[in-house]
Amino acid sequence: MRKIPVMPPVNSPEELRRLPERELPAAAKELRREILESVSRNGGHLASSLGAVELIVALHRVFDTPREKVFFDVGHQAYAHKLLTGRREGFAKLRRCGGVGGFPHPEESPADPAVAGHAGVALSEALGYAAAAPDDPDKVIAVVGDGAAGNGITFEALNQVAECPGRRRLILILNDNRMSISGNVGTLSRLLNRVIAAVSYNRFRSALKRMLAPLPRLKLLFTRVYEAGKSVFLPPAVLFETFGFRYFGAIDGNDLGQLLPTLRRLRRIEGPVLLHVVTEKGHGVEFACADPIRYHGIAGCDPETGTMSGSGGGFSAAFGRAMEQLAGEREDLAAVCPAMIEGTGLSRFSLRYPERCFDVGIAESHALTFAAGLAIGGKRPVCAFYDTFLQRALDSVYHDIALASLPVIIAVDRAGAVPDGPTHHGIYNCGFLRALPNVTLIAPSEEAEIEAALRFALDLAAPVILRYPRGKGAAAREVVPFRMGRAVIRRTGGEDSPVIWGCGAEVETALQAAESPALRPWNCTVVDARFLKPFDRELARRFAARRQFTIEDHCISGGLASALREALDDMPHQAIHAFGWEDDRPVPHGEVPLLRAANGLTVGQIAEKIADICKKTPN
Amino acid sequence: MRKIPVMPPVNSPEELRRLPERELPAAAKELRREILESVSRNGGHLASSLGAVELIVALHRVFDTPREKVFFDVGHQAYAHKLLTGRREGFAKLRRCGGVGGFPHPEESPADPAVAGHAGVALSEALGYAAAAPDDPDKVIAVVGDGAAGNGITFEALNQVAECPGRRRLILILNDNRMSISGNVGTLSRLLNRVIAAVSYNRFRSALKRMLAPLPRLKLLFTRVYEAGKSVFLPPAVLFETFGFRYFGAIDGNDLGQLLPTLRRLRRIEGPVLLHVVTEKGHGVEFACADPIRYHGIAGCDPETGTMSGSGGGFSAAFGRAMEQLAGEREDLAAVCPAMIEGTGLSRFSLRYPERCFDVGIAESHALTFAAGLAIGGKRPVCAFYDTFLQRALDSVYHDIALASLPVIIAVDRAGAVPDGPTHHGIYNCGFLRALPNVTLIAPSEEAEIEAALRFALDLAAPVILRYPRGKGAAAREVVPFRMGRAVIRRTGGEDSPVIWGCGAEVETALQAAESPALRPWNCTVVDARFLKPFDRELARRFAARRQFTIEDHCISGGLASALREALDDMPHQAIHAFGWEDDRPVPHGEVPLLRAANGLTVGQIAEKIADICKKTPN
């Protein structure tokens, strides 16, 4: 891919609207080149953002953006939108500190009406926005992927549309790329995929009209039958029309020649309307089209060949291997996952044990409640989540799993800060989870412990949650067997030495800090908490007379530090210092090491801070 | 209502199945009498449970329960099921300590496969249960109310049915009583209500067949048109058949003569099937039929006349009054509520300002995300929730409201323990909410403070959550103006006196404890925390040298006690003792004063405990 631009970059919707129409395809091409260049270098969401380029160009061309609002559902399709709304410079540093984030955010640009990192919310937001000024003639547009459309929140919104003031302003664009993150699942997707081009349906309609002409008695029925015909030939039409939409489409969402006139027409008519556009994930970049699942979200690649920057391995892979191993040993093991099969490491498992692997689509609450049903039926379900998406199903953890103490295991990947930014950090859940009855909450400290933790959880036959971060853990140590609620001392320091508690991968941070020059003289004890719940209260209390520190990849409130405080605070104890993400301050996107440095969480910073505190208030 | 039983009580499904069929109506009548008697005395859910009696009798009659599982969605319809499955004695003490709970719970009976207090989960659970043994010939039945069917989780499950193993076992019974808690909203409900008796549809089908007979070319189209006709005459049929169900109904769900043969037929055929039954909320009890919203959940009433035991007033009423007042003052105020208009005190508001009151149905996540859209559009939405249902929308608080710091106010009623039991206690949310950026979390301590807190929140123009308990607060004091993050000293004790922190209505508990004989000699200081976030760190640290106590109607972890610990723990401070609900131990159902007593949370118990601790470790 050469760096010669196809045409000069377009930097604002106004510029785009001033271009001659014939230059739009070139503008789209330039946007696509820019996306490929930045994502291949910085990592990010490639395939879906490439697929949505023409749609975004057409939206900004036809509508008076940013006055007319476009709500993108799961904003990783919206990179072209970022480029077209004055964020070109920042886009070169996509997902890096100082660059633009991977998702729309109103703090980044007034062209982003809402934060859009979790799926299924755009229709709700657009409907609320439209209802705020029902008589405003401006259109309100929600762009929803076919995967996200299966999320419960979208359905809840859909169910309200027909009776909501402001619905006349609403244009729902169903961006049908036939994918969630993984291949698509669910009736809704199948329905969309069954669309026969409007041509066939129209042909049937005309034929019917001709044949019924000689039968006057049937004339009254005709309008009804006409509508009814849609249910056979355009199943999604009937579904969405049931909910009050007029259905248009399906049209080719990578063809400006179809998009522009259709959008212009929709802009003039009264809503709610739904436009079904079919786009190709990866459009315009051969290797991305060929394997859109692989190129959904990437850490980086060669922009010419698509060869991936090496990642692989890590906690997710260890989880995947352990699941394969355990499935071979026990028939009752099943996996449940809301559209994150690849990311959570379950790809091989899903191929090897398809009948025991339930990808339920982007349906986080249902995933856990379905798993509860499996458990009631005698299975041992293991649910694979990203931490940030578990936030969407906390009531299912409580109501459907914890209260009945069902043996459901939840494996929580991406627990901790991630490059994607505030919508995706996994740092908020422990405060809720630790309060739930019957739940055990484990943080394996390295990859090799994942299998042991799963075995421990299977033996328990009660709800167990495992939390582990994105990426690689420390070099393998010998795995110490798990014992309920028992922490493990990883470094035995001096008799009155300060104690550093770590949990999960932060145990390694604690060990490195303890060994660092600043802290060596204090000969610290390092404890791997292992169980955030039940916490090793006894050990904590044994150390009460010592200075204690906690390191965790979580908010300071709710996790390890809170557990330690609760264990100690009805007895005299030394002050505690907690290292973690500060509450009340959103952690931005960016390279995780830089985010850590900005928050005083590198090994060096932690060691120095601990040494400093110990100097000032020696035991 | 006389106490003479209509027939001897039936105590088990086996007994029911042994009865002559002609005696079933009498058995239903007896169950209804028992329900009315117990609910009128103990409080509970009257109208929906009366409506479901015949359906439950028919299910136990036709299916081999409890081997064949029935998952009730929102189990308050399931009282007759409790009576028929060996819980008659406990039912006399419904919702009281030692009696049965108000919702199904596997700990109470093996006839309850799942916990069922929150709406929308039964189909997910039933599907999971069926998938656990796809080849088992036993049927799996989910009984879902029409209100609950609009919940996002149900839709997520629906979306999976057609491709889920075990679907052949599935019978979904849509118990259409044309109500959520309030009147029903949403397209789905309207659709169901539009059902024309199968008679009309069948008549149309025959006519069409006759008329098309002379046209052989149309014969091929006939099957399709036949199917299509359903979309006109049986709209719910087409919707549910889209998702893979065979639709049956609608039939009269209070008529055993229709229910029994239909269920027998469904038991023989292959699923997934959906049976649409229309039941009457309050059936068989005149006053309950006449006003099913009022008799949905009651505190108690005269079983003959329906005259309610006095309740009224309290925090909910104060909230409703404040909303009316504020709506008169500002045009931009709007209310959003997921099907709890009456319970949260918004009835009058909804009548007076219908265009500014959005009841979105049982759709908790959508309620908040829709409110986010309203706020983006310049409105000032106030969302009215019960605390336990806010658990279902925590990600919406974070992702859609907090991250963008939108000025959405969430008024959380029923925060704290309630008689309904573990599915409904509002004691788990603060651990999550306190960690969220940009959010202010206020606990008004008495009814009169609600309006002042709302005004403070409206001035803030950022996300604010108010939490207050069910029922009445203390006698009105003069309202001290709210100042960000500032606690209020409610009783100034001696200079080195112990300090008791209370939050919300527990401030009154703290004051009463301080004045009680056991504690008078200690002359305690009582602080009303007011802000759980930002917490009054400065005041807490000023008291560091004193003994400090916290009282809260929340789990001990995550709320007030945690906030105080965080404020203090990097400095030397006296030990803290926290009064609240113990984590890790589900709080059962029952009279709240008794629940408090069992957990050491009465005024007397708290006063004695504090005095005891102070004696042992005086300052």
Side-chain angles (χ1 to χ4, degrees):
Chain A
M1 194 135 270
R2 284 147 319 178
K3 260 215 94 162
I4 303 155
V6 185
M7 64 172 291
V10 180
N11 286 308
S12 74
E14 293 76 22
E15 278 180 44
L16 185 81
R17 291 194 280 267
R18 279 197 302 268
L19 283 186
E21 194 121 327
R22 65 173 187 284
E23 288 185 16
L24 292 181
K29 199 168 177 187
E30 191 277 335
L31 291 166
R32 190 165 269 123
R33 190 193 51 74
E34 193 76 21
I35 290 170
L36 178 60
E37 194 170 292
S38 179
V39 176
S40 63
R41 199 172 54 242
N42 299 310
H45 290 90
L46 187 61
S48 48
S49 61
L50 288 171
V53 169
E54 282 79 13
L55 176 59
I56 288 167
V57 166
L59 285 169
H60 284 292
R61 177 83 178 182
V62 172
F63 293 93
D64 193 10
T65 57
R67 206 194 68 226
E68 287 183 291
K69 301 290 180 217
V70 182
F71 291 82
F72 289 99
D73 201 303
V74 204
H76 59 240
Q77 57 179 321
Y79 289 172
H81 164 76
K82 295 207 172 202
L83 289 166
L84 282 174
T85 52
R87 284 174 270 184
R88 212 164 258 271
E89 207 175 321
F91 194 79
K93 292 186 67 186
L94 177 68
R95 297 168 79 241
R96 297 193 177 265
C97 292
V100 305
F103 300 91
H105 198 308
E107 277 176 13
E108 203 177 272
S109 164
D112 297 349
V115 173
H118 291 185
V121 302
L123 184 61
S124 286
E125 281 167 339
L127 194 62
Y129 182 83
D135 301 321
D136 191 319
D138 280 355
K139 292 295 185 189
V140 184
I141 300 138
V143 181
V144 181
D146 55 327
N151 187 270
I153 304 177
T154 302
F155 173 73
E156 293 177 345
L158 211 56
N159 199 25
Q160 195 197 346
V161 166
E163 54 201 35
C164 192
R167 62 185 174 278
R168 286 174 188 80
R169 305 176 61 192
L170 195 66
I171 298 179
L172 169 58
I173 297 185
L174 206 62
N175 177 13
D176 180 3
N177 60 28
R178 287 140 203 238
M179 292 276 160
S180 293
I181 297 173
S182 315
N184 234 345
V185 296
T187 295
L188 191 62
S189 303
R190 262 188 308 106
L191 212 61
L192 293 170
N193 300 354
R194 264 175 56 201
V195 164
I196 299 163
V199 173
S200 325
Y201 173 58
N202 289 340
R203 209 176 291 150
F204 159 72
R205 203 176 65 189
S206 309
L208 197 68
K209 215 170 176 174
R210 256 195 331 274
M211 288 185 277
L212 292 181
L215 295 165
R217 286 173 69 197
L218 277 180
K219 264 201 172 158
L220 285 171
L221 278 173
F222 183 73
T223 321
R224 286 180 159 179
V225 173
Y226 158 57
E227 285 305 314
K230 282 190 181 168
S231 76
V232 183
F233 293 94
L234 279 175
V238 114
L239 181 66
F240 288 102
E241 295 193 355
T242 298
F243 289 98
F245 285 90
R246 288 179 65 188
Y247 173 96
F248 294 86
I251 64 168
D252 180 348
N254 294 116
D255 179 358
L256 285 163
Q258 292 186 45
L259 282 167
L260 292 167
T262 309
L263 288 175
R264 286 194 180 109
R265 186 175 159 215
L266 296 189
R267 193 173 185 224
R268 284 192 308 269
I269 69 177
E270 197 170 81
V273 298
L274 178 142
L275 175 61
H276 182 178
V277 305
V278 177
T279 60
E280 183 186 34
K281 246 185 149 171
H283 190 77
V285 175
E286 210 170 313
F287 61 78
C289 288
D291 193 350
I293 294 181
R294 195 154 165 251
Y295 290 96
H296 171 78
I298 61 171
C301 72
D302 181 309
E304 302 274 358
T305 62
T307 310
M308 294 271 197
S309 324
S311 73
F315 282 97
S316 313
F319 170 69
R321 283 193 307 274
M323 285 294 286
E324 279 188 86
Q325 176 63 34
L326 291 164
E329 295 173 21
R330 47 192 305 165
E331 291 278 314
D332 56 359
L333 189 90
V336 180
C337 183
M340 305 161 216
I341 293 282
E342 286 75 23
T344 56
L346 286 176
S347 297
R348 279 173 47 109
F349 178 93
S350 71
L351 296 171
R352 201 164 150 195
Y353 300 101
E355 76 294 348
R356 288 203 257 162
C357 186
F358 299 90
D359 180 353
V360 301
I362 307 180
E364 297 85 359
S365 299
H366 168 60
L368 290 186
T369 308
F370 178 80
L374 283 173
I376 297 167
K379 291 288 175 198
R380 299 302 304 271
V382 179
C383 305
F385 267 76
Y386 294 177
D387 191 78
T388 188
F389 299 131
L390 184 61
Q391 270 173 220
R392 317 187 91 192
L394 292 175
D395 187 59
S396 305
V397 181
Y398 174 66
H399 181 270
D400 303 322
I401 295 170
L403 277 184
S405 198
L406 289 173
V408 175
I409 298 170
I410 310 177
V412 185
D413 200 327
R414 270 67 160 177
V418 293
D420 305 82
T423 54
H424 280 61
H425 296 310
I427 60 177
Y428 296 104
N429 283 332
C430 287
F432 184 83
L433 295 174
R434 279 204 316 111
L436 302 188
N438 303 322
V439 168
T440 298
L441 185 53
I442 301 178
S445 67
E446 55 174 79
E447 293 155 37
E449 284 190 355
I450 298 262
E451 185 178 323
L454 282 171
R455 287 184 190 280
F456 175 80
L458 286 165
D459 287 343
L460 252 194
V464 178
I465 302 171
L466 311 182
R467 302 182 84 243
Y468 44 88
R470 186 173 186 272
K472 285 187 189 295
R477 289 180 289 261
E478 201 184 339
V479 175
V480 182
F482 280 81
R483 288 175 56 202
M484 182 54 108
R486 297 293 279 271
V488 176
I489 295 175
R490 296 286 184 193
R491 184 186 197 278
T492 307
E495 206 164 299
D496 296 319
S497 65
V499 177
I500 311 176
W501 291 78
C503 78
E506 300 310 305
V507 173
E508 183 60 25
T509 310
L511 285 169
Q512 288 182 20
E515 298 297 343
S516 73
L519 220 42
R520 277 310 288 266
W522 296 93
N523 193 17
C524 294
T525 292
V526 173
V527 183
D528 176 354
R530 262 195 170 176
F531 288 82
L532 281 162
K533 176 172 194 294
F535 182 68
D536 195 339
R537 201 176 152 81
E538 200 186 307
L539 187 63
R541 292 170 83 88
R542 229 198 298 152
F543 291 144
R546 306 207 211 164
R547 233 20 262 210
Q548 296 193 64
F549 300 86
T550 56
I551 313 178
E552 62 194 309
D553 197 358
H554 187 273
C555 269
I556 287 176
S557 86
L560 175 61
S562 295
L564 181 61
R565 287 164 181 148
E566 287 158 25
L568 292 177
D569 73 359
D570 63 342
M571 69 187 293
H573 65 92
Q574 289 285 320
I576 294 166
H577 187 90
F579 294 95
W581 304 98
E582 267 180 60
D583 301 359
D584 210 23
R585 195 153 71 113
V587 182
H589 67 270
E591 301 90 322
V592 172
L594 298 184
L595 296 177
R596 294 184 69 113
N599 285 269
L601 296 176
T602 67
V603 168
Q605 289 167 319
I606 289 173
E608 270 176 41
K609 179 79 184 176
I610 293 179
D612 195 46
I613 291 172
C614 290
K615 260 175 241 160
K616 278 187 194 145
T617 55
N619 261 8
Chain B
M1 193 135 271
R2 281 146 321 179
K3 261 213 96 165
I4 302 155
V6 185
M7 63 173 292
V10 179
N11 285 310
S12 75
E14 294 76 22
E15 278 180 44
L16 185 80
R17 292 193 279 267
R18 279 199 301 268
L19 283 185
E21 194 121 325
R22 66 172 187 285
E23 286 185 17
L24 292 181
K29 197 168 179 188
E30 191 278 336
L31 291 167
R32 192 164 268 122
R33 191 194 51 77
E34 193 75 20
I35 289 171
L36 178 60
E37 192 168 294
S38 179
V39 176
S40 62
R41 197 172 56 241
N42 299 311
H45 290 89
L46 186 62
S48 48
S49 62
L50 288 172
V53 169
E54 283 80 12
L55 175 59
I56 288 167
V57 166
L59 284 169
H60 284 292
R61 175 83 178 183
V62 171
F63 292 92
D64 192 11
T65 57
R67 206 195 68 227
E68 287 184 291
K69 301 290 178 214
V70 184
F71 292 81
F72 288 99
D73 201 302
V74 203
H76 58 240
Q77 57 181 320
Y79 289 172
H81 164 77
K82 294 206 172 201
L83 289 167
L84 282 175
T85 52
R87 285 175 268 184
R88 211 165 261 269
E89 206 175 323
F91 195 79
K93 291 186 69 187
L94 177 69
R95 298 167 79 243
R96 299 193 177 263
C97 291
V100 304
F103 300 92
H105 198 308
E107 277 177 14
E108 202 177 274
S109 164
D112 297 349
V115 173
H118 291 184
V121 301
L123 183 60
S124 286
E125 281 167 339
L127 193 62
Y129 183 83
D135 302 320
D136 190 317
D138 280 355
K139 293 294 185 187
V140 184
I141 300 139
V143 181
V144 181
D146 55 327
N151 188 269
I153 304 177
T154 301
F155 173 72
E156 293 177 346
L158 210 57
N159 199 25
Q160 194 197 346
V161 166
E163 55 201 34
C164 192
R167 61 185 173 279
R168 285 175 189 79
R169 306 175 61 192
L170 196 65
I171 298 179
L172 170 58
I173 297 184
L174 206 62
N175 177 12
D176 181 4
N177 60 27
R178 287 142 202 237
M179 292 275 158
S180 293
I181 297 174
S182 314
N184 233 345
V185 297
T187 294
L188 192 62
S189 303
R190 261 189 309 106
L191 213 60
L192 293 170
N193 300 353
R194 265 175 56 202
V195 164
I196 300 163
V199 172
S200 324
Y201 173 59
N202 290 339
R203 208 175 292 151
F204 159 72
R205 204 176 65 189
S206 310
L208 196 68
K209 215 170 176 175
R210 255 195 333 272
M211 287 184 276
L212 291 181
L215 294 165
R217 288 172 68 195
L218 279 179
K219 264 202 170 155
L220 284 172
L221 279 172
F222 183 73
T223 320
R224 287 180 158 180
V225 173
Y226 158 56
E227 284 304 315
K230 281 190 182 169
S231 76
V232 183
F233 293 96
L234 279 176
V238 118
L239 180 68
F240 288 102
E241 294 192 354
T242 298
F243 289 97
F245 284 90
R246 289 178 66 188
Y247 173 96
F248 294 84
I251 64 168
D252 180 349
N254 294 116
D255 179 358
L256 285 163
Q258 293 185 46
L259 283 167
L260 293 167
T262 309
L263 288 175
R264 286 194 180 111
R265 185 174 160 213
L266 296 189
R267 194 174 184 221
R268 285 191 308 268
I269 70 177
E270 197 169 82
V273 298
L274 177 142
L275 175 62
H276 182 177
V277 306
V278 177
T279 60
E280 182 186 34
K281 248 185 145 168
H283 190 78
V285 174
E286 210 169 315
F287 61 78
C289 289
D291 192 349
I293 296 182
R294 193 153 168 253
Y295 289 96
H296 171 78
I298 61 171
C301 70
D302 181 308
E304 302 274 358
T305 63
T307 311
M308 295 270 196
S309 324
S311 76
F315 282 98
S316 313
F319 170 69
R321 281 194 307 272
M323 285 293 286
E324 278 188 87
Q325 175 64 33
L326 291 163
E329 295 173 22
R330 47 191 307 163
E331 290 278 312
D332 56 0
L333 189 90
V336 180
C337 183
M340 307 159 216
I341 293 283
E342 285 76 23
T344 57
L346 285 175
S347 297
R348 279 173 48 111
F349 178 94
S350 71
L351 296 172
R352 198 162 152 196
Y353 299 101
E355 75 294 349
R356 290 202 254 161
C357 186
F358 299 90
D359 180 353
V360 301
I362 307 180
E364 298 85 359
S365 298
H366 169 60
L368 289 186
T369 308
F370 178 80
L374 283 173
I376 297 168
K379 291 287 176 203
R380 299 303 303 275
V382 179
C383 305
F385 268 76
Y386 292 178
D387 192 77
T388 188
F389 299 131
L390 184 61
Q391 269 175 219
R392 318 188 89 191
L394 292 176
D395 188 59
S396 304
V397 181
Y398 175 66
H399 181 270
D400 303 322
I401 295 170
L403 276 184
S405 197
L406 290 173
V408 174
I409 298 169
I410 311 176
V412 185
D413 200 328
R414 269 67 159 178
V418 293
D420 305 81
T423 55
H424 280 62
H425 296 310
I427 59 176
Y428 296 104
N429 283 332
C430 287
F432 184 83
L433 295 174
R434 279 202 319 111
L436 301 189
N438 303 321
V439 168
T440 298
L441 186 52
I442 301 178
S445 66
E446 56 173 82
E447 293 155 37
E449 282 190 355
I450 299 260
E451 185 177 324
L454 281 171
R455 288 184 189 278
F456 175 80
L458 287 165
D459 287 343
L460 252 195
V464 177
I465 302 171
L466 310 183
R467 302 182 84 243
Y468 44 88
R470 185 173 189 272
K472 285 188 189 295
R477 285 179 292 260
E478 202 183 340
V479 176
V480 182
F482 280 83
R483 288 174 57 201
M484 182 53 110
R486 298 292 281 272
V488 177
I489 295 174
R490 296 287 183 192
R491 183 186 197 279
T492 306
E495 207 163 299
D496 297 319
S497 65
V499 177
I500 311 175
W501 291 78
C503 78
E506 299 311 305
V507 173
E508 183 60 26
T509 310
L511 284 169
Q512 288 182 19
E515 298 297 344
S516 72
L519 219 42
R520 276 311 286 269
W522 296 93
N523 193 17
C524 293
T525 292
V526 173
V527 182
D528 175 354
R530 262 198 171 175
F531 288 83
L532 280 162
K533 177 175 194 294
F535 181 70
D536 196 338
R537 201 174 153 81
E538 201 187 306
L539 186 64
R541 293 168 82 87
R542 228 198 299 152
F543 292 143
R546 307 207 209 163
R547 225 36 252 210
Q548 296 192 65
F549 300 86
T550 57
I551 312 177
E552 63 194 308
D553 197 356
H554 188 273
C555 269
I556 286 175
S557 86
L560 175 62
S562 295
L564 181 62
R565 286 162 181 149
E566 288 158 25
L568 292 176
D569 72 2
D570 64 340
M571 69 187 293
H573 66 90
Q574 290 284 322
I576 294 165
H577 187 90
F579 294 94
W581 303 99
E582 266 180 61
D583 302 0
D584 212 22
R585 195 151 73 110
V587 182
H589 68 269
E591 301 89 323
V592 173
L594 298 184
L595 297 177
R596 293 184 70 113
N599 285 268
L601 296 176
T602 66
V603 168
Q605 289 167 319
I606 288 173
E608 268 175 42
K609 179 80 183 173
I610 292 179
D612 195 45
I613 290 172
C614 290
K615 260 175 239 159
K616 278 187 193 144
T617 57
N619 261 9

